[in-house]
Amino acid sequence: MSGARVEHLSTSGVFTLDGGSWEVDNNVWLIGDGDEVVVVDAPHEAAPILAAVAGRRVVAVVCTHAHNDHVNAAVEVAEATGAPILLHPDDRVLWDMTHPDRAPDGALADGQSVEVAGTELTVLHTPGHAPGAVCLYAPALGALFSGDTLFQGGPGATGRSYSDFPTIVASIRDRLLTLPSDTRVHTGHGPSTTIGAEAPHLQEWIDRGH
């Protein structure tokens, strides 16, 4: 039995891309136990994330993708905790828009495993919302951390630079909807859902085209 648990907090701020800006609420997921945690995404501001970490060892700050609303606080959290920032290299172009003077510390790769509190988190490369978008799958927790790839009600947005609708559909169809139907999907924004709740709607999403 996994000793890890999932903790959630939400922070608010502004997402900017392609000259536009939008007010957004972002989910932050902490996976771990009383001693160590992985931080999944570090949006907006570091203080609430550091408060939730509460002195535990941060194994890594894992970026599901590098849109600014998911990485704004990553450097500050990493510097405060000594944790490495991990990002898929295909998202470096987006990362550099926010942090041009600070590279990520490590590269995420499809199939890679990140371990925390005796629990394996498997990296799934799921491009579409962003070229280097990833999800983390934790079978022992029955949980998927989907970033902005899959939400309650459909795929992440693909209307802006470096995104592609057919690509995100393929990622969701081939990599996510094949997971057990009771897998809980913890998203980058909004409420959690399950694979089983979303899977029947794939064709509707394809038909509506976003």
Side-chain angles (χ1 to χ4, degrees):
M1 185 66 190
S2 168
R5 62 181 183 267
V6 177
E7 302 165 39
H8 169 249
L9 63 145
S10 179
T11 66
S12 301
V14 178
F15 166 50
T16 57
L17 188 66
D18 297 341
S21 61
W22 300 265
E23 290 280 342
V24 286
D25 297 325
N26 282 64
N27 295 323
V28 184
W29 301 99
L30 273 59
I31 311 158
D33 59 14
D35 298 317
E36 61 180 24
V37 292
V38 163
V39 175
V40 181
D41 289 338
H44 307 310
E45 54 180 333
I49 301 170
L50 294 172
V53 166
R56 291 174 287 180
R57 184 174 81 88
V58 179
V59 174
V61 177
V62 175
C63 306
T64 61
H65 61 296
H67 284 151
N68 76 289
D69 62 318
H70 291 256
V71 301
N72 272 344
V75 170
E76 192 176 341
V77 170
E79 289 177 350
T81 61
I85 299 168
L86 305 182
L87 176 74
H88 193 285
D90 288 358
D91 252 28
R92 185 62 190 271
V93 62
L94 289 165
W95 171 270
D96 287 346
M97 293 178 185
T98 302
H99 298 296
D101 302 320
R102 165 67 155 87
D105 300 295
L108 294 172
D110 187 65
Q112 178 181 342
S113 182
V114 178
E115 186 173 323
V116 61
T119 300
E120 297 285 334
L121 310 174
T122 300
V123 176
L124 306 177
H125 181 212
T126 52
H129 179 71
V134 301
C135 301
L136 293 178
Y137 177 46
L141 301 175
L144 177 78
F145 301 86
S146 66
D148 286 4
T149 297
L150 179 63
F151 292 109
Q152 182 185 67
T158 53
R160 292 185 277 275
S161 293
Y162 307 106
S163 64
D164 184 72
F165 181 71
T167 303
I168 202 172
V169 166
S171 291
I172 292 169
R173 181 188 63 228
D174 301 339
R175 306 305 306 280
L176 303 187
L177 299 186
T178 53
L179 299 174
S181 62
D182 60 353
T183 302
R184 192 127 180 90
V185 180
H186 297 303
T187 61
H189 307 270
S192 295
T193 182
T194 63
I195 292 295
E198 302 307 321
H201 302 291
L202 179 65
Q203 191 58 49
E204 295 169 31
W205 306 336
I206 294 169
D207 291 344
R208 82 182 183 206
H210 62 84

